[in-house]
Amino acid sequence: MAALSRQVESAASLPPAAPLPLGHGFWRRFLGHRSAVLGGGIVLAFVLVALLAPLLAPYHPTDDANLLQRLQPPSAEHWLGTDHQGRDVLSRIIYGARISLRVGVVSMLMAAVAGTVWGALAGYYGGWFDMVSGRLVDLMLAFPSILLAIAFAAFLGPSLENTMYAVALVAVPQYMRLMRGQVLSLREQDYVAAARALGFSDARIIVRHILPNALAPLIVQGTLGVGTAVLDAAALSFLGLGAVPPQPEWGRMLNDARTVFRVAPWNMTFPGLAIMLVVLGFNLLGDGLRDLLDPRARDD
């Protein structure tokens, strides 16, 4: 009986297809996917800039203010010019990469964890909990996410931490619905039924047999979600609900540059380009991963 139990457990642990094919075949296809390579290169470049900010930035982003050098155009001394307080724009953009990437990644992780747990429970147990959860998610999705983020940020107060909470809260329904749909399709599979027959706990079935097979779409959504979080955080900071001065956050830099745009357009142009490139990088990477992790597109 013990041997039979081990055999059935082994069968129950094997999904119908490898959920994350990250072997040599995957990386070969990745290097052959132009969008994925381009997006990954952009993201990697900004990650390296953020990590090496103290070495790359020619000036301190907040302490080197000099009103005598305010609003200087790009030059050999200040490659991207100076802002309204004489601070080096390039240095602030470099240090701003740390803030924007941290906000994007942390917000995505909080939303993904909360939405995944919520969706897994709703999809697995169903019943009244699933019905109430579905109506609540529908209600949240009925409003534009940026409006909900503005409402949450205004309620919590302006700060980077509250910005991360606000951005994460409005992203939770996306992960919840995605995970719920995955669980609904996976909970009726034979290996899940075998795990139930062996008397495994619900938590073990969800964590060991359902979640691994739902990771691929969650990874794609998470990659795309980082770009969306960076954009939403920049929007909140631009509206005065995110980063507070003198933090070199890109959205805050755009807000500071509004009043001097006519005389110093570089103050708004370069932070805007940084936001655009980061969001573009994560979107291209997410689209590439969606193609590469789609079981129907695998050739290995």
Side-chain angles (χ1 to χ4, degrees):
M1 181 64 68
L4 178 61
S5 177
R6 285 195 298 271
Q7 292 177 359
V8 177
E9 180 176 356
S10 176
S13 301
L14 293 176
L20 287 178
L22 300 182
H24 295 293
F26 170 82
W27 293 111
R28 186 173 63 252
R29 293 195 306 272
F30 180 90
L31 293 176
H33 197 291
R34 294 182 179 179
S35 295
V37 171
L38 178 58
I42 295 174
V43 171
L44 178 61
F46 275 96
V47 170
L48 292 176
V49 166
L51 293 175
L52 301 176
L55 300 177
L56 297 176
Y59 300 91
H60 193 277
T62 59
D63 295 343
D64 291 339
N66 186 349
L67 294 179
L68 297 178
Q69 296 184 357
R70 64 190 303 268
L71 302 181
Q72 288 189 357
S75 63
E77 184 179 2
H78 299 283
W79 288 5
L80 301 185
T82 61
D83 64 5
H84 63 292
Q85 294 187 10
R87 297 170 298 195
D88 185 66
V89 173
L90 175 60
S91 299
R92 289 178 62 78
I93 290 177
I94 291 175
Y95 274 91
R98 286 185 162 186
I99 297 176
S100 293
L101 290 179
R102 177 165 61 92
V103 171
V105 172
V106 172
S107 299
M108 180 276 294
L109 289 176
M110 290 192 295
V113 171
T116 297
V117 173
W118 187 9
L121 295 177
Y124 188 82
Y125 290 108
W128 67 268
F129 181 72
D130 184 31
M131 182 183 66
V132 173
S133 299
R135 299 295 78 75
L136 180 59
V137 167
D138 291 340
L139 179 62
M140 294 182 66
L141 292 176
F143 297 92
S145 60
I146 188 61
L147 292 182
L148 282 179
I150 290 173
F152 286 135
F155 175 77
L156 296 174
S159 73
L160 273 179
E161 290 74 17
N162 291 340
T163 297
M164 289 189 284
Y165 295 143
V167 172
L169 281 172
V170 301
V172 167
Q174 301 173 15
Y175 296 93
M176 184 275 180
R177 295 188 70 175
L178 178 61
M179 186 60 186
R180 175 183 177 274
Q182 291 295 309
V183 173
L184 288 176
S185 64
L186 293 172
R187 70 178 184 180
E188 304 301 330
Q189 297 294 322
D190 292 339
Y191 59 92
V192 175
R196 289 199 193 98
L198 285 171
F200 292 169
S201 65
D202 292 340
R204 182 175 181 178
I205 293 174
I206 293 174
V207 173
R208 292 193 57 183
H209 305 296
I210 293 181
L211 184 58
N213 289 282
L215 281 181
L218 288 174
I219 290 175
V220 173
Q221 180 61 40
T223 305
L224 296 170
V226 174
T228 302
V230 170
L231 189 61
D232 289 346
L236 292 177
S237 295
F238 179 78
L239 296 174
L241 298 173
V244 295
Q247 291 174 316
E249 199 274 336
W250 294 337
R252 184 72 215 185
M253 293 175 66
L254 292 176
N255 180 284
D256 294 337
R258 287 184 305 111
T259 57
V260 297
F261 177 72
R262 291 179 179 270
V263 296
W266 55 86
N267 278 347
M268 183 171 285
T269 301
F270 295 120
L273 286 175
I275 296 172
M276 183 200 72
L277 286 175
V278 167
V279 176
L280 176 64
F282 279 107
N283 285 344
L284 290 175
L285 180 58
D287 288 340
L289 290 177
R290 179 172 54 195
D291 296 337
L292 295 171
L293 294 177
D294 187 350
R296 294 169 296 183
R298 298 177 194 170
D299 52 15
D300 293 338

